[in-house]
Amino acid sequence: MAGHSHAHKEHSGDDLIDAARITLTDSGEQWTGMRQSVFEELARHEKPASAYDIADNLSAARGKRVAPNSVYRILDLFVRTNLANRIESANAYLVNTHPGCRHDCIFLICDDCGKATHIDDERVTGALRDAGKDAGFTDVRPVVELRGLCDDCAA
């Protein structure tokens, strides 16, 4: 596995919430109570979570229904502002533990337990960026998903 093309700090706990709030407000968006709740709920999950999972958990915690459509809109905002990543093949989301840091993503997703691991490999994503540019695209940002079995499930 190649090293990172740049350094970034992994955040957790309250530090992650603060980094997300700063990143979102620096992008010109508001950090509302609902957005914070959605981010905190997403951050609780070690595996990719769907908007329905998040809406159900928030509904239970708040004692009133939270609409999945509202959660989808917030998650889409989080993806646009690099607070979260969308795992396309699972129609689910994973918190970005280094909010605001824009980089290429390679996700390894376990078909058995659903665990998603993020790695950086500039050789792979650099080749994909170059192919996109050769095809006439600009601002290319590869997102790659590899499916298989994690070490625990393969054992």
Side-chain angles (χ1 to χ4, degrees), residues 49-133:
S50 74
Y52 287 92
D53 295 334
I54 293 168
D56 287 347
N57 291 348
L58 289 177
S59 294
R62 291 174 168 229
K64 65 179 183 176
R65 184 176 180 275
V66 173
N69 284 345
S70 298
V71 173
Y72 268 117
R73 282 192 295 277
I74 293 170
L75 290 170
D76 287 344
L77 171 65
F78 288 171
V79 170
R80 284 194 311 275
T81 54
N82 294 310
L83 300 185
N85 295 296
R86 184 162 192 263
I87 308 297
E88 298 287 337
S89 62
N91 192 23
Y93 299 82
L94 196 60
V95 75
N96 180 359
T97 56
H98 35 91
C101 182
R102 182 176 171 159
H103 65 284
D104 303 328
C105 296
I106 300 173
F107 292 104
L108 303 169
I109 303 154
C110 181
D111 287 327
D112 196 23
C113 71
K115 173 182 165 186
T117 303
H118 169 259
I119 62 170
D120 291 318
D121 188 327
E122 186 60 33
R123 297 167 303 174
V124 172
T125 55
L128 291 170
R129 266 194 317 281
D130 290 344
K133 288 176 185 173

Side-chain angles (χ1 to χ4, degrees), residues 102 126-142:
R102 182 176 171 159
L128 291 170
R129 266 194 317 281
D130 290 344
K133 288 176 185 173
D134 291 348
F137 279 74
T138 59
D139 196 27
V140 175
R141 189 176 87 193

